[in-house]
Amino acid sequence: MSKSGLLIAAALATVLAACSSVPYAQRQQQRQAAYAAAAGAPVRSFHYFNLWSWEPLSDSELVVYTQPNRAWLLDLDGTCQNLQFTQAIGLTSSVSQVYVGFDKVLTGRRYIPCTITQIRPIDVKKLRVEQEAQRKIDAQPREPATPASAN
């Protein structure tokens, strides 16, 4: 895609986001609630070989996908600098395992690594059902328009 195409796509995405009827803070809370509802009991560690995807939920909460159908909700100590804005993250691990209290989330060279304080597995199927429920709208038919009377 050309530079002008990318700029147009970025502008369109910005306009669409600005036109949303649901404020950003409310959408963010809905996402956090959906992930929390789909999260299981805390675990001590998880197997980490590959980072498939990730999504920051706040400055101290992060979801990492190790496979398309396997995700983990990570709680971090305090405010994790640059988590909401970074282009990439890293996770420390020991022998392909990420451990609570030992391993960290990396958000860039200039930022202090964030220690993982809690790990919860996410039921991705349950999460998708919850997200679909949030996407449903209450559609109501409009009243037919009456033609303007001519004098």
Side-chain angles (χ1 to χ4, degrees), residues 35 38-39 52 63-65 67-72 121-131:
Y35 277 107
W52 187 76
V63 175
V64 293
Y65 285 81
Q67 296 175 2
N69 60 351
R70 183 166 295 266
W72 308 92
I122 294 175
D123 182 343
V124 176
K125 289 180 184 178
K126 184 177 178 180
L127 175 67
R128 290 187 181 137
V129 168
E130 178 70 25
Q131 289 173 334

Side-chain angles (χ1 to χ4, degrees), residues 10 73 109 133 151:
L73 180 59
R109 283 185 207 202
N151 288 345

Side-chain angles (χ1 to χ4, degrees), residues 130-150:
E130 178 70 25
Q131 289 173 334
E132 283 298 319
Q134 289 178 1
R135 286 188 190 109
K136 289 184 181 176
I137 60 169
D138 294 327
Q140 297 177 4
R142 292 186 180 184
E143 305 238 354
T146 57
S149 58

Side-chain angles (χ1 to χ4, degrees), residues 30-127:
Q30 288 173 342
R31 283 178 39 228
Q32 288 172 326
Y35 277 107
V43 295
R44 207 171 143 247
S45 67
F46 67 91
H47 181 72
Y48 174 69
F49 181 70
N50 189 21
L51 182 61
W52 187 76
S53 177
W54 60 280
E55 179 180 0
L57 298 178
S58 70
D59 288 335
S60 61
E61 203 170 36
L62 169 71
V63 175
V64 293
Y65 285 81
T66 54
Q67 296 175 2
N69 60 351
R70 183 166 295 266
W72 308 92
L73 180 59
L74 308 180
D75 292 334
L76 309 172
D77 65 340
T79 299
C80 191
Q81 297 175 329
N82 199 40
L83 183 59
Q84 296 279 345
F85 307 104
T86 189
Q87 297 287 324
I89 65 164
L91 291 176
T92 62
S93 63
S94 302
V95 194
S96 299
Q97 287 288 118
V98 174
Y99 290 95
V100 169
F102 181 74
D103 286 305
K104 298 173 179 18
V105 174
L106 310 170
T107 60
R109 283 185 207 202
R110 297 177 290 168
Y111 302 103
I112 298 170
C114 311
T115 303
I116 299 168
T117 58
Q118 185 177 41
I119 299 172
R120 291 180 283 169
I122 294 175
D123 182 343
V124 176
K125 289 180 184 178
K126 184 177 178 180
L127 175 67

